[in-house]
Amino acid sequence: MSESSARRKDAQPSWASSPATRASMQSNRPRDTKPEKALRSAVHALGLRFSVSTRPLPKVRRTADLVFTRVHLAVFLDGCYWHGCPEHHTLSATNTPYWTAKFETNRRRDRQTDQWLREAGWEVLRVWEHEDPATAALRVREAYDRLSKEIEEARAERASTRRRRPLNPDSP
């Protein structure tokens, strides 16, 4: 790193309470965490195939952890710390106002994402990182099966409607 870029970096005020905290937060992985891998493995073991870390709505900058495009199912694996799990979330002892605002912004963004996806015809499933991966995978499977059934029923209904229509509108 050049001396001038090092000076620019040092001149910016940090949101972190210490250099160690900053390093720790910057090392958090945005994807492929242990809980994500465990959930993906459990869902895959149930025979389901999915896209990983994909935008369900391409024009919206929100990424779901598992995406089932055929049935419009988006699965988010939310970290207890970052998304404010009611069972495990604790307030930071340092820089509390910053972190309180940060977590509230995360939760508000989650709700907005859910709303946009539902308005676009997607089903949203949220899983907490502390949930058992096998149990969460069964929830995913249930949602997938239900949505698949709805799609098949709608197709069958459209097909039966087409068969019932007379070819000649003047015929009885």
Side-chain angles (χ1 to χ4, degrees):
M1 179 183 329
S2 71
E3 186 179 324
S4 63
S5 66
R7 266 198 315 269
R8 273 195 309 268
K9 211 172 195 181
D10 293 339
Q12 296 174 354
S14 174
W15 46 263
S17 58
S18 71
T21 300
R22 183 177 176 88
S24 174
M25 292 299 170
Q26 286 179 327
S27 70
N28 285 331
R29 300 173 64 102
R31 61 172 277 181
D32 298 334
T33 62
K34 285 182 182 180
E36 280 183 36
K37 287 180 176 181
L39 178 61
R40 290 195 315 238
S41 177
V43 170
H44 194 272
L46 293 176
L48 297 177
R49 301 301 177 257
F50 45 86
S51 298
V52 176
S53 296
T54 303
R55 291 180 182 181
L57 305 174
K59 293 182 180 180
V60 178
R61 217 177 117 216
R62 307 288 167 84
T63 303
D65 297 299
L66 306 177
V67 177
F68 300 86
T69 54
R70 189 179 80 78
V71 297
H72 282 194
L73 173 61
V75 180
F76 294 87
L77 181 66
D78 293 337
C80 293
Y81 180 74
W82 292 109
H83 295 269
C85 168
E87 290 182 43
H88 300 105
H89 181 75
T90 57
L91 289 176
S92 176
T94 56
N95 211 359
T96 304
Y98 171 84
W99 289 110
T100 301
K102 171 73 173 159
F103 300 136
E104 183 51 42
T105 300
N106 288 351
R107 287 191 288 269
R108 195 170 30 254
R109 185 174 48 247
D110 290 345
R111 289 189 302 270
Q112 181 67 64
T113 300
D114 293 353
Q115 179 183 343
W116 286 343
L117 286 168
R118 288 189 177 111
E119 287 171 358
W122 284 75
E123 172 112 359
V124 177
L125 184 61
R126 291 204 173 261
V127 176
W128 288 110
E129 73 175 336
H130 69 262
E131 289 184 56
D132 174 55
T135 304
L138 289 174
R139 286 179 42 218
V140 172
R141 179 75 206 210
E142 289 168 3
Y144 182 89
D145 289 345
R146 180 177 42 77
L147 293 168
S148 291
K149 183 178 178 186
E150 289 172 10
I151 290 169
E152 289 306 315
E153 288 172 353
R155 278 189 190 139
E157 178 61 30
R158 282 193 307 273
S160 70
T161 302
R162 282 193 299 265
R163 282 193 300 266
R164 280 186 259 152
R165 262 190 267 143
L167 293 177
N168 182 352
D170 296 330
S171 67

